[in-house]
Amino acid sequence: MSKTQPAAYSPVHILLHWAIAALIFFQLVFGESIKDLGRALRGDGTPDAMTAFMGNAHIWVGIAVLVLTVLRLIVRARFGVPAPIPASRVQELAARGGHGLLYLLMIFVPITGLLAWYGGIREAGELHELAKPLFIILIALHVAGALYHHFALKDRTMKRMITSRT
């Protein structure tokens, strides 16, 4: 694996970041649809078309989040990422910890969802549901941090995930 440190995030890094963000947003907004599908299948076994579509979309979007996250980690390991913009030790630790937890959830949540849905593991489903508020909190902190860097510190932290130009 390469230990290079590029000057900017590549278009692939940026595309993966925003694609995963959009998919997670979809899951947070429409994620309850999987419960509707589960109830319909346990009930009379025939969900209406919209319930079936949205429930299955939840499954496939979750799989996409998992696959794209793994791909993002591979790209990150293979091609590196730019050095962080200099900040206080506390900010660096917060950023590193927040990103680490987000990556962990982007892998853990889809896996627990799949184990619950296809494996019938109730505990996995409970963990899957418990992760939603944690995801929301971490995303809110991530966005707040990006906005703080952009508007208060006026550094290039946020711009680096919008354009690959240095």
Side-chain angles (χ1 to χ4, degrees), residues 23-97:
L23 293 172
I24 290 171
F25 181 75
F26 175 89
Q27 294 294 63
L28 292 173
V29 172
F30 299 108
E32 299 300 312
S33 58
I34 193 73
K35 290 180 183 178
D36 298 335
L37 179 59
R39 276 191 291 273
L41 292 174
R42 283 189 304 277
D44 64 10
T46 55
D48 63 72
M50 185 55 80
T51 300
F53 175 80
M54 291 302 291
N56 282 297
H58 181 78
I59 295 165
W60 287 106
V61 169
I63 291 168
V65 168
L66 178 61
V67 169
L68 292 177
T69 299
V70 169
L71 180 59
R72 186 172 175 191
L73 289 169
I74 291 168
V75 167
R76 185 179 173 92
R78 176 70 178 97
F79 299 104
V81 294
I85 290 176
S88 73
R89 184 75 176 134
V90 171
Q91 287 175 330
E92 286 179 17
L93 289 172
R96 193 171 292 142

Side-chain angles (χ1 to χ4, degrees), residues 114-133:
L114 291 169
L115 289 172
W117 187 258
Y118 292 110
I121 302 171
R122 191 170 150 254
E123 296 80 7
E126 291 170 3
L127 289 171
H128 184 77
E129 286 187 41
L130 285 172
K132 183 176 181 178

